[in-house]
Amino acid sequence: MHTYQPLWPQDRSDWEPPSLAGFTFRSADDIGAYAALDALNTWYTYPHIWHLTDDGRFNCCSKGSSLDSVTRFAAHPEHLLECRWTDVEPECPDNWVILEPRHPRLADRYDVTEDDARAFVQLRRGLHDFGISLLDVVIFDQEFHWWSLHELTSGTTVWPTAPKRSRPRH
């Protein structure tokens, strides 16, 4: 578990975080550093799936539902692929990071457990079959903590360089 200090002003409803375009993401630490600038990470009730370029730049994203979690995605990785079935520009890259918020009102899903780590490994394998490199699932809670499932399964927050590969269009 890691902790970040919120860097957004508590008294300004008009404040917006800096643009994702100005950041490079090569590790869960980079995600944690950005989370300190974005108050929405603690408010979201649904996961975001960030699609990163080969050099770690944010390209686009998709969203899950409030019921989604790494374990639910692992059971049905194909549910994450709707963004692949439409032609969009720029094309959706193959390097994905899932940002999953956890809220205490969902007590059965609040704590990060070994089941999450197992689901991450299963989801990573399942998405690989579709040509996607799942770099990490980063979980946030409302007390400004974050966990990297890649770190829990590999011992490091730094992501492996994703191989470039052609991917099938569905």
Side-chain angles (χ1 to χ4, degrees):
M1 174 185 67
H2 302 268
T3 304
Y4 64 92
Q5 279 298 103
L7 299 176
W8 60 83
Q10 298 289 331
D11 58 351
R12 290 197 37 215
S13 62
D14 64 332
W15 187 82
E16 292 188 27
S19 169
L20 284 165
F23 292 83
T24 301
F25 300 96
R26 298 201 179 280
S27 72
D29 295 311
D30 295 335
I31 300 284
Y34 185 80
L37 302 170
D38 186 356
L40 294 178
N41 282 314
T42 61
W43 300 342
Y44 287 132
T45 60
Y46 48 85
H48 279 83
I49 301 90
W50 287 8
H51 310 144
L52 305 178
T53 62
D54 287 337
D55 61 353
R57 306 294 252 169
F58 179 87
N59 187 77
C60 56
C61 75
S62 53
K63 298 175 185 175
S65 79
S66 294
L67 299 175
D68 286 330
S69 66
V70 65
T71 54
R72 187 172 166 137
F73 287 143
H76 299 284
E78 67 278 4
H79 291 179
L80 290 168
L81 301 174
E82 288 184 33
C83 62
R84 291 297 179 98
W85 297 332
T86 58
D87 289 326
V88 294
E89 291 296 329
E91 190 173 276
C92 179
D94 296 325
N95 305 309
W96 291 11
V97 177
I98 298 174
L99 284 68
E100 182 184 326
R102 300 254 172 120
H103 296 275
R105 65 181 172 76
L106 300 172
D108 62 326
R109 288 189 1 213
Y110 191 64
D111 294 326
V112 178
T113 67
E114 289 183 20
D115 288 339
D116 294 308
R118 281 191 290 277
F120 169 67
V121 171
Q122 179 182 346
L123 178 58
R124 180 181 264 177
R125 286 183 188 136
L127 289 175
H128 184 270
D129 292 343
F130 294 99
I132 296 165
S133 287
L134 180 61
L135 302 174
D136 209 339
V137 174
V138 182
I139 298 172
F140 294 91
D141 70 15
Q142 294 182 316
E143 287 86 40
F144 313 118
H145 301 123
W146 62 270
W147 294 259
S148 160
L149 296 184
H150 174 71
E151 179 184 23
L152 291 175
T153 59
S154 72
T156 181
T157 58
V158 178
W159 303 323
T161 303
K164 293 182 182 175
R165 62 168 99 66
S166 61
R167 64 176 161 81
R169 293 296 277 175
H170 297 277

